[in-house]
Amino acid sequence: MKIIAHIQTDFPDKFGIPRQSGIIEELKGKIVFEPEYRRAEAVRGLEEFSHIWLLWEFSKIGERQWSATVRPPRLGGNKRIGVFATRSPFRPNNIGLSCVRLTGIEEDKKQGIVLHVQGADLMDGTPIYDIKPYIPFTDCHPEASEGYTRETRAHKLTVDFPKELLELYPPEKREAVTKILELDPRPAYIQDSERIYGMSYAGLDIQFQVDGERLTVIKILSCADINNV
């Protein structure tokens, strides 16, 4: 398969990325096509759709054999589920699927056709294999059952984000970063209230602790400072 594009997002690492697309609409990204596919006619008509499907590669998980069962982190890391009943990255083929909102199509002088999207659950630089329009009358099934995910989707933390630290982010990033923390980026099987976690987002590294259902941001550093340590 050919890589047709890469996405640019505020997530340099996979830690903290929402577990599904569309959960946090405030997360913005740019899809930049490879030179061969930077043709305006290739996206002609796409502007009529509000949402698109992205087929992409789990490009940072390294070499690893697939397993018939996996332990979804949100189920505590102990319960095994069949890999095809999950969206785990450890699959026979490292392919991901995301539905995102298409907010604009731009023709950039250097990058050619660029798609602006919201709600993406992808790491910066993720390779994209294909883009397809989301079609509501066939792709939306309100009556569908959701299995074990019904147990996990409502989990949210109360976030204590000191104003002076939150204001280190530009205004357009503050709501998104708060919602990311509310979703609890930790693996569910780690419940150490003394542990300090670090999450990189939009050029800054957030240091936080979690005690019960409350997450407290204790420090923010630049990612450049972290990398130089």
Side-chain angles (χ1 to χ4, degrees):
M1 298 214 301
K2 294 182 178 180
I3 294 170
I4 65 165
H6 290 80
I7 192 168
Q8 298 175 1
T9 71
D10 286 317
F11 290 103
D13 307 304
K14 63 182 181 180
F15 186 77
I17 296 178
R19 292 174 176 85
Q20 304 293 342
S21 59
I23 296 177
I24 303 177
E25 278 283 329
E26 291 79 7
L27 295 179
K28 297 181 180 180
K30 289 170 57 178
I31 296 172
V32 180
F33 287 91
E34 292 295 287
E36 181 181 354
Y37 305 104
R38 294 177 183 177
R39 300 171 60 175
E41 62 266 33
V43 296
R44 185 183 300 149
L46 194 62
E47 73 281 354
E48 299 178 16
F49 295 89
S50 65
H51 292 73
I52 55 177
W53 289 107
L54 304 178
L55 278 76
W56 48 275
E57 179 189 0
F58 288 102
S59 57
K60 298 297 183 181
I61 63 172
E63 292 292 329
R64 179 169 174 173
Q65 289 192 342
W66 80 283
S67 173
T69 60
V70 296
R71 295 185 177 99
R74 190 48 61 200
L75 292 180
N78 297 315
K79 186 176 180 180
R80 282 196 169 273
I81 301 291
V83 66
F84 298 128
T86 75
R87 297 189 178 183
S88 166
F90 304 110
R91 325 181 66 79
N93 295 299
N94 300 335
I95 297 173
L97 176 69
S98 296
C99 182
V100 298
R101 179 182 291 275
L102 177 65
T103 58
I105 301 176
E106 170 192 7
E107 187 159 4
D108 184 86
K109 289 183 179 179
K110 292 184 178 180
Q111 298 177 321
I113 298 297
V114 174
L115 307 184
H116 293 267
V117 298
Q118 289 184 201
D121 56 339
L122 284 75
M123 189 166 59
D124 185 51
T126 295
I128 294 176
Y129 287 127
D130 204 1
I131 296 168
K132 301 178 186 292
Y134 174 90
I135 303 173
F137 89 93
T138 58
D139 294 349
C140 181
H141 300 278
E143 77 286 0
S145 58
E146 58 181 307
Y148 65 88
T149 58
R150 178 183 293 276
E151 305 170 26
T152 62
R153 63 185 169 100
H155 176 75
K156 282 190 178 182
L157 298 176
T158 299
V159 175
D160 181 5
F161 207 139
K163 183 179 179 182
E164 66 275 12
L165 295 181
L166 182 60
E167 289 180 349
L168 293 175
Y169 277 103
E172 67 273 14
K173 304 287 185 185
R174 294 172 191 169
E175 187 171 3
V177 71
T178 302
K179 288 184 176 181
I180 293 166
L181 295 172
E182 284 179 355
L183 292 177
D184 192 356
R186 305 170 302 156
Y189 52 85
I190 299 179
Q191 299 291 328
D192 183 356
S193 62
E194 299 299 318
R195 180 168 177 169
I196 297 176
Y197 301 86
M199 184 190 82
S200 297
Y201 175 72
L204 297 175
D205 188 84
I206 305 166
Q207 309 279 304
F208 64 90
Q209 290 179 299
V210 180
D211 187 1
E213 297 299 306
R214 180 172 292 275
L215 182 151
T216 302
V217 177
I218 57 176
K219 186 187 296 184
I220 290 186
L221 303 170
S222 74
C223 290
D225 290 339
I226 294 295
N227 293 333
N228 290 331
V229 173

